[in-house]
């Protein structure tokens, strides 16, 4: 790469060649890539304001340049070459222009390749209900959803409508019919897109991001009225996802939303992405399948007991994120520090790891399929406090 000039084509080629996930462009340093979870500066010149402006203009459509001037930022997607696509976040910082480009894989990954939990196949073929994929930015939510939609596309004749900001993966018509609508281009907002989608004879609706009360409410109602709705939230864990949805609504509406959500929600897949030894990345998941017992917990505002229901729901394919992180560490796929950084309860996970290292556990709970715990309960007592269950590994608190 030439030291006296920087071209976007060369930068994107480098990202593709190295299989990096992101390209960061900002004033005051060379371009930076995220490779296997680590930030790495490229061997090129330090960028100035003219460089970042020229790089931005080389790929940014006029509407996004106008949005940058009016709102200070814009999101869009570009196709580079040979099917390689990038999602672009364009923004201003300290009066100059910055960009972050996320590489979108050029092919769909199978469930086996990404280690998708078994219940997902059952949930995505249900006739109605809302399935949420959650996790922090960069945890692979878009890839997981793309894999689910591609599985449906290859095996079922459905009408799928996606609402995305921006469109990342392109889905060709296979067995299913796909209509992909980009927010700001094909429709003004997620709320409006959802309202219109209900008149388009959909079987499945993907809501790229459930950002506000109106979108969340519309998604719940779409799931109630006989559609499958996929959505994403930036939450970690099933119980916090349920709480986030309910807390969006005013106090006087929350009882009604709890009832609606308890019947509309069919599952929550939470995920984190972490470095894999010796190289690469691996996903860790938390899987909640909404059973009658969990419906009851949502309806009666006892979400603090959801984790216990997940732990005792292994016959439904459920497990907690920290259990999956422990398994990755135990199987020597990931470093202890990386697992603890992504744990929902790092102190408890650290104690569990220490106990395992000390030989205090001969068997791992995550793989124990013989637990004889009756999980399908209908709230058998009025005790709202924390309870200790066999095999729970301790007291679960609010």
């Amino acid at each position: 790469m030439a030291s006296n000039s920087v071209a976007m084509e060369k930068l994107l080629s480098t990202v593709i060649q190295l299989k990096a996930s992101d390209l960061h462009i900002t004033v005051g340093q060379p371009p930076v890539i995220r490779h296997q979870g680590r930030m790495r500066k490229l061997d090129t010149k330090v960028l100035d304001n003219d460089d970042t402006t020229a790089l931005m203009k080389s790929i940014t459509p006029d509407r996004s340049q106008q949005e940058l001037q009016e709102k200070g930022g814009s999101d869009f997607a570009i196709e580079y070459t040979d099917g390689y696509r990038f999602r672009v976040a364009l923004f201003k910082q300290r009066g100059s222009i910055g960009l972050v480009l996320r590489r979108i894989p050029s092919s769909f990954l199978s469930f086996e390749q990404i280690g998708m939990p078994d219940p997902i196949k059952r949930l995505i073929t249900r006739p109605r209900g809302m399935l949420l994929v959650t996790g922090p930015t960069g945890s692979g939510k878009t890839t997981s959803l793309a894999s689910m939609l591609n599985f449906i596309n290859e095996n079922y004749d459905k009408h799928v409508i996606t609402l995305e900001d921006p469109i990342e993966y392109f889905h060709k018509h296979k067995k299913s019919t796909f209509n992909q609508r980009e927010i700001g281009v094909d429709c003004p907002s997620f709320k409006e897109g959802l309202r219109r989608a209900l008149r388009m004879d959909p079987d499945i609706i993907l809501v790229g991001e459930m950002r506000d009360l109106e979108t969340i409410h519309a998604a719940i109602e779409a799931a109630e009225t006989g559609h499958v709705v996929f959505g994403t939230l930036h939450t970690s864990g099933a119980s916090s996802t349920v709480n986030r949805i309910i807390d969006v609504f005013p106090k006087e509406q929350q009882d009604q939303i709890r009832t609606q959500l308890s019947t509309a929600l069919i599952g929550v897949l939470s995920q984190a992405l972490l470095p894999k030894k010796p190289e690469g990345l691996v996903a860790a998941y938390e899987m909640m399948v909404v059973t009658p017992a969990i419906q009851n917990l949502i309806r009666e505002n006892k979400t603090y007991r959801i984790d216990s229901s997940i732990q005792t729901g292994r016959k439904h394919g459920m497990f907690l994120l920290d259990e999956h992180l422990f398994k990755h560490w135990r199987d020597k796929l990931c470093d202890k520090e990386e697992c603890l950084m992504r744990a929902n309860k790092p102190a408890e996970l650290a104690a569990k790891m220490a106990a395992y290292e000390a030989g205090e556990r001969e068997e791992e709970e995550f793989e124990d399929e013989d637990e004889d715990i009756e999980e399908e309960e209908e709230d058998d007592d009025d005790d709202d406090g924390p309870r200790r269950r066999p095999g729970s590994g301790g007291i679960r608190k609010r």
Side-chain angles (χ1 to χ4, degrees):
M1 194 176 294
S3 60
N4 58 350
S5 66
V6 180
M8 184 61 82
E9 291 80 3
K10 291 183 178 180
L11 294 176
L12 297 182
S13 295
T14 301
V15 171
I16 293 168
Q17 180 183 350
L18 297 178
K19 296 182 179 179
S21 61
D22 298 87
L23 170 65
H24 293 251
I25 294 171
T26 191
V27 169
Q29 67 174 2
V32 177
I33 61 171
R34 186 179 294 276
H35 185 247
Q36 298 182 357
R38 310 292 186 190
M39 300 288 278
R40 173 181 159 192
K41 293 182 181 180
L42 296 180
D43 185 18
T44 183
K45 66 171 290 192
V46 173
L47 301 176
D48 58 28
N49 193 49
D50 290 340
D51 294 322
T52 60
T53 300
L55 289 168
M56 178 274 291
K57 289 183 175 179
S58 69
I59 61 169
T60 305
D62 291 341
R63 66 170 183 82
S64 295
Q65 292 191 41
Q66 182 177 349
E67 188 176 12
L68 173 68
Q69 297 304 321
E70 294 173 355
K71 300 181 179 180
S74 182
D75 299 309
F76 59 95
I78 61 170
E79 183 154 355
Y80 172 53
T81 183
D82 298 330
Y84 286 101
R85 288 172 51 77
F86 289 83
R87 184 185 71 199
V88 184
L90 171 64
F91 55 90
K92 288 185 176 180
Q93 63 93 24
R94 295 196 298 181
S96 62
I97 289 172
L99 301 92
V100 177
L101 294 87
R102 165 70 52 85
R103 180 174 62 87
I104 303 170
S106 56
S107 59
F108 297 102
L109 299 176
S110 68
F111 285 177
E112 291 72 26
Q113 285 175 307
I114 61 177
M116 187 73 75
D118 292 337
I120 289 296
K121 279 188 183 179
R122 302 195 303 271
L123 293 177
I124 64 177
T125 54
R126 296 267 288 269
R128 67 187 62 84
M130 183 164 67
L131 174 66
L132 299 177
V133 179
T134 76
T137 300
S139 59
K141 298 187 295 296
T142 302
T143 299
S144 292
L145 284 166
S147 297
M148 294 179 202
L149 293 181
N150 187 59
F151 176 82
I152 291 169
N153 199 10
E154 291 179 339
N155 294 281
Y156 298 92
D157 56 329
K158 303 286 187 181
H159 179 205
V160 183
I161 298 172
T162 74
L163 305 170
E164 304 173 71
D165 183 19
I167 294 172
E168 298 187 29
Y169 286 86
F170 282 161
H171 293 271
K172 297 178 180 178
H173 307 298
K174 297 177 184 176
K175 282 195 172 182
S176 293
T177 298
F178 267 78
N179 284 298
Q180 297 183 259
R181 309 190 72 199
E182 184 164 330
I183 305 303
V185 178
D186 302 311
C187 57
S189 65
F190 284 109
K191 175 190 173 185
E192 179 67 13
L194 263 169
R195 188 173 75 85
R196 299 290 183 186
L198 295 178
R199 301 178 183 178
M200 295 162 60
D201 186 33
D203 295 299
I204 297 168
I205 304 170
L206 166 68
V207 184
E209 193 171 336
M210 295 169 62
R211 296 174 175 169
D212 50 46
L213 184 152
E214 291 81 8
T215 302
I216 293 172
H217 200 187
I220 293 173
E221 291 184 336
E224 284 186 310
T225 55
H227 306 88
V228 176
V229 177
F230 296 162
T232 68
L233 282 170
H234 294 288
T235 51
S236 179
S239 58
S240 64
T241 298
V242 172
N243 289 332
R244 172 73 63 84
I245 290 173
I246 292 168
D247 289 345
V248 164
F249 292 85
K251 293 287 185 184
E252 61 272 14
Q253 294 183 32
Q254 289 185 1
D255 286 342
Q256 176 191 344
I257 292 301
R258 284 190 193 98
T259 300
Q260 287 184 274
L261 185 63
S262 69
T263 57
L265 190 64
I266 58 175
V268 177
L269 176 70
S270 298
Q271 58 187 71
L273 206 58
L274 58 163
K276 178 182 177 182
K277 298 192 294 189
E279 62 179 15
L281 297 168
V282 65
Y285 297 103
E286 173 170 306
M287 185 74 242
M288 181 185 81
V289 179
V290 179
T291 61
I294 290 178
Q295 284 183 328
N296 199 52
L297 295 178
I298 296 172
R299 196 163 45 243
E300 298 196 2
N301 195 21
K302 296 179 179 178
T303 53
Y304 58 87
R305 285 169 53 179
I306 284 177
D307 282 2
S308 293
S309 286
I310 292 174
Q311 282 184 306
T312 57
R314 292 189 182 91
K315 63 183 177 183
H316 301 289
M318 292 194 263
F319 53 89
L320 292 170
L321 176 66
D322 289 8
E323 292 175 347
H324 205 187
L325 289 168
F326 178 88
K327 184 174 184 292
H328 282 342
W329 168 77
R330 187 201 62 191
D331 294 344
K332 296 181 172 56
L333 287 178
C334 304
D335 288 330
K336 178 189 289 188
E337 293 74 18
E338 297 289 350
C339 293
L340 292 175
M341 282 173 57
R342 291 159 179 81
N344 287 330
K345 296 179 179 178
E348 291 185 15
L349 179 57
K352 188 176 180 180
M353 289 173 169
Y356 184 85
E357 288 177 323
E360 294 177 14
R361 294 189 181 184
E362 297 180 359
E363 292 183 342
E364 163 49 25
E365 293 174 352
F366 186 77
E367 293 183 341
D368 185 2
E369 300 295 338
D370 300 322
E371 287 198 61
D372 186 21
I373 298 173
E374 183 61 41
E375 190 267 337
E376 296 295 343
E377 61 186 7
E378 290 295 332
D379 197 28
D380 55 0
D381 57 47
D382 294 323
D383 179 17
D384 288 353
R387 301 190 301 167
R388 184 182 180 93
R389 291 178 177 272
S392 68
I395 294 177
R396 296 289 167 188
K397 298 182 180 180
R398 293 187 186 219

